Amino acid sequence: MKKFSIVAILTLFCSLMLPAPGKTAHPVRVPLSFDFYYTYDMVVEAMQALHKTYPQLTRLDLVGKSEEGRPVYCLTVNNPKSGAELSKPGIYVDGNIHGNEIQAGEVALYLLDYLLGAYGQNEEITRLVDSRCFYVIPVVNADGRYHFFADANTPSDNRSLRIPRDDDRDGLVDEDFPDDLDGDGNICQMRKLDPFGQFKTDPDDARLMVRIKPGEKGEWTILGDEGIDNDDDGKINEDAEGYVDGNRNWGFDWMPDYVQSGAGDYPFSGAITKALAEFIGQRPNICVGWTFHNNGGMYLRGPSSKAQGEYLRQDIAVYDYLGQQAERITPGYRYMISWKDLYQTYGDSMEWLTMLQGAYGFVGELFQTEAERFVSKKESTGENRAQPAKDEEEEGGYDFREDRSLEKERIKFNDHLAQGELYKPWHEFDHPAFGKIEIGGWVKMSSRLPAPFMLKDLVHRNASAVIFSAKNTPEISLEIFETKTMGNGLTRIRTRLANARAIPTMSYQAKKNKLYPQDMLTLSGAGLKVVAGGEINDIYLHQVAYKEFRPEIQFLVVPGFGKVEHEFLVSGSGSLTIAYQSRHAGKISRTIVLK
Ligand SMILES: [Ca+2]
Ligand SMILES: [Ca+2]
Ligand SMILES: [Ca+2]
Ligand SMILES: [Ca+2]
Ligand SMILES: [Zn+2]
């Protein structure tokens, strides 16, 4: 410790001048601001402030608690005056299930702030909020977000749930985290002068290194993340927090750790994944779900693994309609199939929501490295342009700081747009194992998070993609379009259910797998008997699929931008009620009187 005494004193001095850990200098006020990042505590404060400002439209629910006991909240946006929550199509949004992917939380907070702030001001949003119900959970991995801000970090760590695990099987758990050796709040990189190293100083920018070509003389060895051997086992940084990945721990297509790293010992072993699944299960009106991550600029749909096979054609049509529109809303982002265009995952949350809850699930991978290029339009069309590495979007195992193809532009972005805040210049350090080394490189708020001045654009566009899907949850009308006396005391009643939006009242996958009962259309009346009834397949050729038993109850799904027509033959007279009910599209009824 003595070695670091000057650093320690400086750190102490700085910490006296800065707000306490978990706090920043930004006040949390409604309307919320989106030119800085919210700590975990500030997210909670923001949700409470929104609830307090709009009590008539919101409910603040505790979803559950994290491994370290931090509450995880959902803010529900619903207008009880226009109907109960479960009587409306539900839209689910979460963020930050990976602790370091923090701008996902800002997208969710922005969506809340925008919907509530525009209510009563903007006609479209007012109508949307009155007719739909939004469940928004900005931060799923509360511990991860807390530690991302409070502790020294790389841009990629603190992703895991805080379930201790012995990564190196030495009998100790989480005993060797990276260490902030220079006390600047970041875990940067360590390098050492080494004529046999694989890297040399980049001739264009002395702060960067490039890999040597065969036969070239080396200059640097990169030693990895800042750290020392905390437990004296000869390895450095070998057992940090976790690793149980909150997005590999869900109970659909779950695979053990030897297949899927981070799976946990069993599905829903995480306190918050289990609580969240229960919370979602109690909201069967959810039609569409979004979970936000970083990074790569992608809107992903499933399947998450190849073995599942492709989704049903009619469901793909819905995904394409929403996904292609999202691509237009956020130029540069690509709508992709998770397993095929990115990589396979097992036990992730959106696949669970899609396959077991019957929602249409999307993953939003926020932020593109290309957005922090430093190049003019003229230069960008040149032939010798650096191209992003092919696997750039990969999260998890991939380390963005190792992608050197765009580094020269990113560091100029750092110089001229972030005024040096994203990159730490190399400086000397006396390391207990390596001797004289240098510490420097990209800081924790770089690489996967947009510079704060670009945050508002990102959150507005992505919230708009959610809003487009929300507008496309089912909107059903019911009409009785024919009442015809047929003789023999019979009346023919014809009904039409029409969906003005793209999402069907039940996904085709949910229908095929019989996840839950289909929509019901019921004809009733005290003085009536339904003698026949069925779905009209062709009204001109009068083809009706009559239902053999209990014709007064019909089961159906109303397709997106489509209709379903039924025909009933009724004997008797008096009041007649046609009632429709759907998990995803609410209830409607019509009453007429037969003479
Ligand atoms: Ca260990
Ligand atoms: Ca550091
Ligand atoms: Ca060690
Ligand atoms: Ca160890
Ligand atoms: Zn993620």
Side-chain angles (χ1 to χ4, degrees), residues 356-376:
L356 296 188
Q357 301 294 306
Y360 288 89
F362 280 95
V363 174
E365 291 282 358
L366 304 165
F367 182 69
Q368 313 168 87
T369 311
E370 295 95 315
E372 296 195 347
R373 284 184 147 183
F374 190 77
V375 66
S376 71

Side-chain angles (χ1 to χ4, degrees), residues 310-326:
E310 181 55 293
Y311 285 163
L312 295 170
R313 173 179 57 79
Q314 302 98 318
D315 284 333
I316 293 172
V318 176
Y319 276 110
D320 287 353
Y321 183 75
L322 302 174
Q324 287 163 6
Q325 186 74 344

